[in-house]
DNA sequence: ATATGTAATGTTATAATATAACATTATATA
DNA sequence: TATATAATGTTATATTATAACATTACATAT
């Protein structure tokens, strides 16, 4: 069984503007469905997080936002990120203190992240088999799982083949 | 197949001083074997990281160190932690920005951490089966693994049974 | 024992990441 | 339109981590 890829590596040139518009459209839809406000700030922060396939730093988002909105300050960004995290629209990469857009808003389990140390991009998998094994292993020692963080460091296929 | 527990939850009262002395002894031995200097600062920082079964913050270590050594400053602690991380004597819990002692210095793979949100303690597993599955899943999409981070959040058996 | 190079620590400053607390404004709906 | 709630503005500060350079300790060769 192969893992489902929620968020891909960019794999060379592709029409990334489509990644962004898809993500925004999905977010809009998801929020509308849940009766939740997808404000201009939240939308713009999500757009900036999706600027590339690399994880984005909160203060890099802030630097851009400051040029557009004089009132932008750290809480502006962190509140928007908090909202987006809660709604499952972005994920935090804990080992990088950085954020990535979620390729499939609203999927249940938290994904597994592949981090390429060569190109810096991050992909997201959703692998029920892996989640299940982790759950079982924990259960065997009497531990009850609420959430799990899986961040896999290495080199993506694109970077491997271009060596 | 059951995961090997490298670092246990404390499971109620136990002679924790033995955990500390064991860890220091193991570290001393490991460093001697590798011809590496286990200085007083490094030893003391490791001892403080092992103060309990909960992960420890760098600045909490620093606060204690300052009372013992007037020259203690952030680099004092971060350098010691960096050394201990490199030697496999401690691990960083990325999702908490905190550090735990390694229950079995020198084991090869990075472990899997169980974080109890009730008591705050952290256990470490070494499960080759899990490592293997993660490696295979990554391989299936052409990704080559260098390292992996697994942090499992939930509730430990001790806390579950005391509810 | 002394010189020499390297590793470790000291010291000061600052960068990077994140939150607290309270004021103001916008939005929904009664 | 009044009211409650959610969102944003604003200022300050907490937390986590590193840069850069000076000094000291240690191992080893002479
Ligand atoms: Zn794209
Ligand atoms: Zn890559
Ligand atoms: Zn103990
Ligand atoms: Zn517990």
């Amino acid at each position: 069984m192969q893992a489902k890829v929620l968020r891909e590596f960019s794999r060379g040139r592709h029409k990334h503007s489509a990644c962004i518009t898809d993500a925004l459209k999905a977010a809009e839809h998801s929020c509308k469905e849940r009766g939740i406000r997808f404000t201009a700030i939240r939308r713009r922060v999500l757009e900036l997080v999706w600027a590339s396939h690399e994880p984005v730093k909160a203060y890099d988002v802030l630097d851009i936002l400051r040029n557009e909105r004089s009132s932008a300050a750290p809480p502006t960004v962190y509140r928007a990120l908090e909202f987006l995290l809660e709604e499952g629209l972005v994920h935090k990469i804990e080992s990088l203190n950085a954020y990535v857009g979620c390729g499939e808003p609203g999927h249940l389990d938290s994904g597994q992240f592949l981090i390429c140390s060569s190109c810096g991009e991050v992909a997201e998998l959703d692998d029920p088999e892996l989640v299940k094994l982790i759950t079982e292993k924990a259960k065997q020692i009497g531990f009850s799982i609420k959430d799990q963080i899986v961040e896999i460091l290495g080199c993506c296929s694109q970077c491997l083949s271009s060596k």
Side-chain angles (χ1 to χ4, degrees), chain A residues 116 118-119 156 159:
Chain A
C116 177
S118 172
C119 64
C156 77
C159 288

Side-chain angles (χ1 to χ4, degrees), chain A residues 25-37:
Chain A
K25 202 162 289 178
E28 201 157 341
H29 181 259
S30 168
C31 288
K32 184 163 285 174
E33 217 171 35
R34 309 165 77 167
I36 279 164
R37 287 162 66 185

Side-chain angles (χ1 to χ4, degrees), chain A residues 58-104:
Chain A
Y59 274 77
D60 289 344
V61 170
L62 178 56
D63 287 343
I64 294 169
L65 221 52
R66 276 193 209 279
N67 294 327
E68 303 171 350
R69 181 180 281 264
S70 64
S71 66
T76 314
V77 172
Y78 282 102
R79 283 170 184 155
L81 288 172
E82 185 185 27
F83 169 86
L84 296 169
L85 287 165
E86 278 167 0
E87 297 306 319
L89 299 170
V90 307
H91 299 291
K92 181 174 185 184
I93 306 297
E94 296 289 349
S95 61
L96 298 174
N97 295 318
Y99 304 83
V100 295
C102 175
E104 187 175 309

Side-chain angles (χ1 to χ4, degrees), chain A residues 123-138:
Chain A
E124 180 182 5
L125 306 183
D126 177 19
D127 190 316
E129 199 181 343
L130 186 48
V131 170
K132 190 174 159 225
L133 185 61
I134 290 175
T135 304
E136 277 169 4
K137 292 294 180 176

